[in-house]
Amino acid sequence: MDITERQITKIARVASSLSAKMIKADGVGTAEFDLVHIVRKHPGISQKEICRLLGSDKGAIAKETANLVSKGFLRKENNPADGRSQLIFPTEKAELLKRSKAHIEAVFYEWLMEDLSEEDKAEFARVLGLIYRKSKAESLAGFPSVRARLEECDE
């Protein structure tokens, strides 16, 4: 039984909705933001690799990339190893977009916690840190414990 009632997910979804609305005002949709994020994490990436990482088709990625280049979030350079392809890089505008999303989320989370006492804030942050570190370690390991539990459910 999930005693959290997935409230972490629900709060994250609200924060994501807020940041998506605010970023959309900058002319970037959710799918475009995901593409910018991939390029920021992998500067000099090919469209083929973006397709693989996002699980999207070539046409959709080509269109989104062209839109983001025209808006000034991405730039393309010829691939020196393959004259037929181009590599995609983030621009400074893409970096500012990242800080904008992080700033929006930080303000939202500060607002959520403003009514808590300093002791409650500290305890919440401590416990949340424990949970985060466990989730990060499980993710880095490929989710072996969670996969095992899911397999038990299937039996």
Side-chain angles (χ1 to χ4, degrees), residues 7-25 28-31 33-34 100-109 112:
Q7 291 179 74
I8 294 170
T9 302
K10 293 171 185 176
I11 293 168
R13 196 175 301 134
V14 171
S16 181
S17 174
L18 171 64
S19 63
K21 286 177 184 174
M22 301 298 286
I23 288 170
K24 190 166 184 109
V28 178
T30 306
F33 185 85
D34 291 343
S100 173
K101 183 178 189 301
H103 177 71
I104 292 164
E105 291 172 350
V107 168
F108 177 70
Y109 291 130
L112 278 178

Side-chain angles (χ1 to χ4, degrees), residues 26 71-73 91-98:
D26 291 335
K71 293 175 185 178
F73 291 100
T91 64
E92 181 61 28
K93 195 172 178 181
E95 294 300 326
L96 293 173
L97 184 66
K98 176 237 175 199

Side-chain angles (χ1 to χ4, degrees), residues 7-152:
Q7 291 179 74
I8 294 170
T9 302
K10 293 171 185 176
I11 293 168
R13 196 175 301 134
V14 171
S16 181
S17 174
L18 171 64
S19 63
K21 286 177 184 174
M22 301 298 286
I23 288 170
K24 190 166 184 109
D26 291 335
V28 178
T30 306
E32 289 177 321
F33 185 85
D34 291 343
L35 196 152
V36 169
H37 180 74
I38 291 292
V39 174
R40 281 187 44 262
K41 294 292 183 189
H42 306 277
I45 192 170
S46 68
Q47 283 190 2
K48 182 178 180 179
E49 187 64 12
I50 292 170
C51 291
R52 187 187 70 75
L53 291 172
L54 290 178
S56 296
D57 67 70
K58 185 178 175 181
I61 295 301
K63 183 178 177 182
E64 288 175 16
T65 300
N67 285 338
L68 289 165
V69 167
S70 71
K71 293 175 185 178
F73 291 100
L74 302 178
R75 64 182 173 81
K76 293 181 178 181
E77 292 182 13
N78 290 331
N79 184 345
D82 174 7
R84 298 175 298 138
S85 67
Q86 294 183 313
L87 302 177
I88 303 163
F89 294 87
T91 64
E92 181 61 28
K93 195 172 178 181
E95 294 300 326
L96 293 173
L97 184 66
K98 176 237 175 199
R99 286 192 287 273
S100 173
K101 183 178 189 301
H103 177 71
I104 292 164
E105 291 172 350
V107 168
F108 177 70
Y109 291 130
E110 287 171 9
W111 173 80
L112 278 178
M113 296 187 57
E114 72 186 7
D115 296 332
L116 299 178
S117 70
E118 292 306 313
E119 296 80 20
D120 285 347
K121 288 179 191 177
E123 180 62 9
F124 176 76
R126 184 189 72 76
V127 172
L128 188 60
L130 293 172
I131 294 168
Y132 172 75
R133 286 187 291 281
K134 183 176 181 178
S135 74
K136 189 67 174 179
E138 181 73 358
S139 172
L140 290 172
F143 300 100
S145 301
V146 176
R147 286 177 191 267
R149 289 188 184 196
L150 289 169
E151 288 173 8
E152 289 172 8

